[in-house]
Every structure is written in structure tokens, then in C-alpha cells.
Amino acid sequence: MKENNLRLILAVALSFLFLTIYSYFQTPTPKTQTPQAMSNASNVPQIANSNTAPTPPQTSLENTPIIARVHATAMEIEIDHLGRIAQMYLKDKKFTTHRDEGFLDHVKRLMGLNKEPLEPLSKLPLLGVDALKPLELRFVDTQINQEAFHKPYSASVSDLDLEQGTQTLTLTQELSRVVVKKILTFHTNLSYDLKLEITPKEQGVNMDYILSNGSRPVADADGYAFHGVLLGTQENKIEKIEDGDIKEAKSFKHIAFVASVDRYYTSLFFSKTPIEAIVDSQAGTKNPLPFVSLKGNAVLHGYIGPKDHRHLETIAPMLTDVIEYGMITFFARPVFLLLDYLHTYTHNWGWAIILLTLIVRIILYPLSYKGMVSMQKIKDLTPKMKELQEKYKNDPQKLQMHMMQLYKKHGANPLGGCLPLLLQIPVFFAIYRVLYNAVELKSAGWMFWIHDLSLMDPYFILPLLMGISMYVQQVITPNTITDPTQAKIFKLLPLFFTLFLITFPAGLVLYWTVNNIFSIVQQWLINQVLEQKKLKEIQEHKSTHKS
């Protein structure tokens, strides 16, 4: 059981660092969907009792004519001639003011080697150029479907200004056997209501079709966050299909919402009544392509925009499930709600992060104290443990027996420092995921040099403070490490973490730095308590011998 505590701490730290680095640098390049891929994308089986797959013709989706525009202060929407949302732009300064750039580009800028100003975007496009578009409609009837992709829609108005409030746009497509109407009511909160009217011109027309909420947004290509399709059921369960994971079309019933998501943004449909969803596989990439299966007239609601918790909750409470934190979502969501609650008092996300860190340290103090006491006892027994190891180095069984007797005699638990550490890992990981996925941190400043907590610290001040605080924490924390190799690696951890977290969002590094500072204060207090306890025991021992 030699050095169990420090070995575990070292293993956990290195494993966490490896996973963090691996996940961060596995950033996928946003893949656009080629016309060929799109034409092969809909091999959807048995849609509304039909064996025919509704497939668009092999025509380019780029540079399609725009027949209507919807605009407001915070957004702009373009509707193309096939009745689809061709592009959605966010114009709020929160999403356009501070732009991300590569680490090397940023260093060059700081060194004066790159003097070109980093101009803010005038508006942020969310949808891929050749991606599957929201409101794309595909008929099961092959002839109608082929005609529908050649016959343009007409718009009731070409320009809608939402500054005066909610506005309605009617898109009409006159086909030979059916008339399609998409009646869209747009709201300033980035949501819209969709009423579909499918009117046959003759008897026996197949009225089955599928409608897409569009492929996931491409405004953020980060590889650590979930990218793909989320489906929420009426029973409040979540189905997840990540990019690259789907091999064949799947159908889902009793669905409340279907959302295409990246780290910060989503394009989704939701309904108060159960709907049937179909997720197909994009040819060549195995990326999910989402649709809802409909027949005749239908009513749906949609949203395209940031995954802001409060914003989504005001539209429909169930949409907050679109904000996904991975396997630890069940624990991470309450952590975010606490952070959001603190923000209502601080009115600054940076100070809210600091308060959250303080609360977590206070809650975990009993565990930390127990672990430190156990580690201190093991440290005090180190000389006796070395004697036993030297004495029984050729007899592992006797060494084990005498070590256990030594632990029992002095009330030391070799795993005492491990268990508190293991219990803290889910808490820290939940906070990590919350801060990494919170779109609320975009353009949120803190202090005078941090202007965006979702981007890296522009002057690397927080990463350096994090490394220094981690080193100080190591110095004042009792350890029993004796192996030279382990000792060297352990001492280098602050440097490793500094180098690899230097490009991480400032909000994350702020949490880590403040957590280290609170840990230093906490460790110092624990050390004082243990020192006083040890002095008291020595005095009692001396007084006993004198008497």
C-alpha cells in the first residue's frame, strides 16, 4: 500500500489532464453537406407506409434565390425560393463583438507581428452553406417530390420588420397535384410558429411528407462539446445521436422536440402534441439528418439561436433539455442553476463563478478535512513504513501484515485520502462542463482585462496565476511521495496544466485558479488545526510521563 494516496492523486490528475487535452484538440472541421451527399441523404424506410424514399434532386444548394427576409435588432432570417430558412444571422453584440482566434495568431498579435485589427462581425451566420435547411419539405410521392424541388415558392411579403412585434409570412407553392402553404409567424425571441396547409387538387394524392428542422449550426466547431441531434420525448427522456454515429435511418415516436445542436447554438422543432421523428444518416459522414414525419395539415413551433437557459425556458420549459452536459447532465444542471441564481445577485458571471467556487469548497470542507487528516497520519508514519519495507523487502506477505497492524495501531487509513478525492471528482467535472458549455459566458467580461469569459485570457494572466497557485498548493499539502520519478512528474503538473489550459475559456481557468486559491487557504487552516492537535498530543504525552 505504499504511497496509495499520492499515487491515486497523481493518476487522477494525469488522467483528467489527458482526457481534457485529447478532447480539446479533437476539434472537427465543420463539414458542409455537398449536393451529392444531400441527394443521397434521405433513404428513409417505411415513411407513412411508403417504401419510397423522398429524395431531393441533385442540384446545388448554394446561391439559391432569396425571396423573403425577416429582420429585427438581434437577428436576420433569409428565406429561399424552396421555402426554407437559408440562413439565420445573430446581430446581437454578445455574439459578434469578441471573435476567437488561434493561439499562435494571438501570440503574434501580442508581439506586434500581426498588426491587422481583428474586426468584429456585423452578424454571425449559424447555418452551413450547403447543409440541410430548416423547413425543407420532402414528399413521399416521388413525382410530387421531384416537382417540389423545381417549383419555387411565392412569398406574401418580401420583407418583414419585427421591430413592431410579431409578423406573419405566408409561403405558397403551386404544384400540379397539390398546393403547399407554410404560414410562418416570427417572434422577436428567435422562435417561430409554423402552420402547414397541404391541399390536394385531385383525389388519391399521397399527403405524406417529412419536414426538417435543419442540420446542426456550424457557428462553433469545438470538439469537446456534443455535436449532433437531441430528441426529447414526452416522458422527459433524451435520445442523443452524435455526429458520425448513425449508420442507418432511425424513427422515434412520442417526441416533444427534435434539436440539431453544437456547443452554443441549436435549430429545433417542438410541439405540444407528440410527433414522430426520423433521423437519417448523411452519406459519407454518418452525421445525423433530422426530420419529423407528417401527413396533411400540421402545426409546429421552431427556434434557431443560442442555447441560453433562461431564454429557452421562457419559450418552452422543456427546451432547457437541449442544453446537454454529457453523462453528468443530471448533476451539472443543478450546478448551472446555482450559478445562474448567483448571477442574479452579482450581475457578473465572473463574480458568480467565484461565489460558486467558494460555496463548493465550503460544502466539501468536511471531506477535504477528513482526507487531509488521513494523509497527515500516513505522512507521520512514513519513517516507520520505510523501516518495515526495508526489514521485510523479501517477504511481501509479512510486509503487508505489519503495515496493516501499523495502520490499525495509529488509526490511519491508507484509503482515507482517496475516497474524499473520488467523491469530489464528479463535482469538479460538473462545474467544468457547465462553464465550458454555457453560452451565457459569451461576451461576459470580468475585471479590466477579461472581455469574454468564453474565450482564452488574452494576456495569459489567469493561466499563470493558476499555475502558481497550483504549485503553492502542492508545497503546503502534506505528501508521502518518495519515488523520484513520481516526485518529478508531480512537481511538473502545475507547468503541464498551465501550458495546456492556456487556450481554454477564461471562465474555466478563473474557476480553476480561484478553486486553487481557496484550496490553499483551506489547506493552511487544516494544517494549523493539525499542528495544534499535534502540539496538544505532545504536551499531554510529556505531562503523562512526568506524572
Side-chain angles (χ1 to χ4, degrees):
M1 293 193 180
K2 179 183 178 182
E3 302 160 359
N4 279 333
N5 293 327
L6 266 298
R7 285 177 187 271
L8 179 63
I9 294 172
L10 187 61
V12 169
L14 289 175
S15 299
F16 183 71
L17 180 61
F18 170 77
L19 290 173
T20 302
I21 296 166
Y22 176 81
S23 300
Y24 185 77
F25 285 101
Q26 294 300 307
T27 303
T29 303
K31 294 178 177 141
T32 58
Q33 297 169 342
T34 64
Q36 181 63 37
M38 286 296 302
S39 68
N40 296 329
S42 247
N43 302 313
V44 182
Q46 301 293 331
I47 300 176
N49 300 318
S50 171
N51 291 319
T52 305
T55 306
Q58 296 184 23
T59 56
S60 176
L61 302 177
E62 290 189 79
N63 302 318
T64 53
I66 302 301
I67 62 172
R69 285 183 169 83
V70 183
H71 55 87
T73 303
M75 63 83 157
E76 181 180 329
I77 295 175
E78 295 177 345
I79 309 292
D80 71 13
H81 74 302
L82 293 181
R84 306 170 303 189
I85 297 178
Q87 190 54 268
M88 168 71 169
Y89 298 98
L90 296 180
K91 299 193 293 184
D92 194 307
K93 291 182 179 180
K94 176 183 177 71
F95 306 104
T96 61
T97 301
H98 304 295
R99 293 179 57 189
D100 199 358
E101 63 179 341
F103 174 71
L104 293 179
D105 291 332
H106 183 68
V107 171
K108 288 179 180 179
R109 191 176 302 282
L110 288 178
M111 296 174 64
L113 300 177
N114 186 358
K115 297 183 179 180
E116 294 183 6
L118 191 63
E119 296 292 340
L121 295 170
S122 59
K123 51 188 179 180
L124 177 69
L126 296 187
L127 307 179
V129 175
D130 253 345
L132 178 66
K133 304 297 184 184
L135 302 186
E136 179 166 310
L137 188 153
R138 302 181 185 180
F139 284 96
V140 168
D141 185 294
T142 305
Q143 291 183 345
I144 297 178
N145 193 54
Q146 290 292 316
E147 183 185 5
F149 274 89
H150 289 92
K151 186 78 171 181
Y153 280 75
S154 62
S156 58
V157 292
S158 60
D159 187 87
L160 275 79
D161 187 352
L162 300 187
E163 295 302 321
Q164 304 302 318
T166 298
Q167 299 288 332
T168 299
L169 168 69
T170 300
L171 303 172
T172 305
Q173 187 181 44
E174 288 274 356
L175 302 177
S176 58
R177 299 169 61 193
V178 69
V179 177
V180 179
K181 280 190 177 182
K182 298 177 182 177
I183 303 171
L184 292 156
T185 302
F186 292 97
H187 306 281
T188 55
N189 61 5
L190 308 183
S191 71
Y192 59 91
D193 304 319
L194 170 63
K195 183 179 179 182
L196 283 157
E197 294 182 356
I198 312 294
T199 307
K201 292 184 176 180
E202 58 187 54
Q203 294 289 332
V205 176
N206 189 337
M207 303 284 283
D208 301 326
Y209 60 96
I210 58 176
L211 186 77
S212 180
N213 61 292
S215 294
R216 69 168 177 82
V218 295
D220 187 279
D222 177 79
Y224 190 41
F226 177 85
H227 284 177
V229 171
L230 294 175
L231 300 105
T233 70
Q234 295 287 337
E235 294 78 25
N236 297 320
K237 295 181 180 179
I238 301 295
E239 296 282 351
K240 300 190 296 184
I241 304 177
E242 195 163 7
D243 281 2
D245 282 355
I246 188 168
K247 297 179 181 178
E248 58 184 15
K250 296 180 180 180
S251 62
F252 303 86
K253 295 183 179 181
H254 307 294
I255 295 301
F257 69 80
V258 53
S260 304
V261 302
D262 66 3
R263 177 186 179 189
Y264 287 141
Y265 309 98
T266 183
S267 176
L268 59 83
F269 283 153
F270 66 99
S271 174
K272 296 177 182 179
T273 58
I275 55 177
E276 181 178 351
I278 297 168
V279 181
D280 202 2
S281 173
Q282 179 187 334
T285 67
K286 298 181 181 177
N287 289 343
L289 299 176
F291 300 88
V292 293
S293 180
L294 302 167
K295 182 175 183 176
N297 297 344
V299 174
L300 288 171
H301 307 280
Y303 171 83
I304 307 175
K307 297 189 295 182
D308 183 288
H309 187 278
R310 284 180 176 269
H311 190 65
L312 290 173
E313 189 174 36
T314 60
I315 297 171
M318 64 179 169
L319 297 184
T320 57
D321 288 339
V322 172
I323 306 170
E324 207 271 337
Y325 302 106
M327 293 178 62
I328 205 165
T329 296
F330 72 96
F331 187 65
R333 182 164 286 119
V335 171
F336 171 80
L337 292 177
L338 174 58
L339 179 66
D340 185 56
Y341 176 76
L342 295 172
H343 178 258
T344 61
Y345 289 95
T346 63
H347 303 289
N348 182 281
W349 287 104
W351 293 113
I353 290 170
I354 292 173
L355 281 181
L356 175 67
T357 312
L358 176 59
I359 291 171
V360 169
R361 295 308 307 184
I362 292 173
I363 293 173
L364 295 178
Y365 179 81
L367 286 175
S368 301
Y369 178 77
K370 185 177 179 180
M372 289 303 104
V373 169
S374 181
M375 289 182 69
Q376 185 64 50
K377 286 182 178 180
I378 297 294
K379 181 183 178 181
D380 293 340
L381 292 176
T382 300
K384 293 182 180 181
M385 291 166 60
K386 287 183 178 180
E387 290 178 8
L388 290 175
Q389 289 165 358
E390 184 63 29
K391 185 176 181 180
Y392 299 105
K393 61 183 178 181
N394 296 322
D395 194 339
Q397 290 185 350
K398 282 190 176 181
L399 174 62
Q400 181 78 4
M401 181 184 68
H402 284 86
M403 290 284 276
M404 292 305 295
Q405 290 176 350
L406 182 65
Y407 294 146
K408 187 176 181 180
K409 180 181 178 181
H410 294 274
N413 182 358
L415 298 178
C418 305
L419 295 179
L421 175 66
L422 291 175
L423 291 173
Q424 291 179 47
I425 290 174
V427 178
F428 294 139
F429 191 63
I431 295 174
Y432 178 83
R433 292 307 300 265
V434 164
L435 296 180
Y436 202 84
N437 289 275
V439 71
E440 287 83 354
L441 298 187
K442 286 194 71 65
S443 295
W446 179 75
M447 300 297 282
F448 58 89
W449 82 96
I450 300 292
H451 303 294
D452 191 333
L453 287 166
S454 71
L455 302 179
M456 68 178 181
D457 183 334
Y459 303 105
F460 314 126
I461 296 173
L462 282 176
L464 291 174
L465 288 176
M466 189 275 298
I468 294 169
S469 61
M470 192 173 181
Y471 173 77
V472 174
Q473 185 183 359
Q474 277 189 358
V475 170
I476 70 170
T477 302
N479 69 77
T480 59
I481 224 167
T482 56
D483 182 87
T485 303
Q486 285 188 24
K488 288 180 181 178
I489 295 175
F490 196 69
K491 288 181 180 179
L492 287 174
L493 280 180
L495 178 61
F496 290 157
F497 273 86
T498 300
L499 291 176
F500 287 112
L501 296 181
I502 204 166
T503 61
F504 271 60
L508 270 175
V509 186
L510 174 63
Y511 156 71
W512 212 310
T513 304
V514 173
N515 183 66
N516 286 346
I517 294 171
F518 286 150
S519 296
I520 291 169
V521 175
Q522 184 174 283
Q523 185 63 58
W524 182 83
L525 292 173
I526 291 174
N527 288 349
Q528 296 302 307
V529 171
L530 293 177
E531 188 66 28
Q532 292 296 324
K533 188 176 180 180
K534 186 183 293 185
L535 289 173
K536 186 177 180 181
E537 289 175 354
I538 292 173
Q539 290 174 357
E540 289 177 353
H541 182 72
K542 286 182 179 180
S543 61
T544 302
H545 275 281
K546 285 181 180 180
S547 60

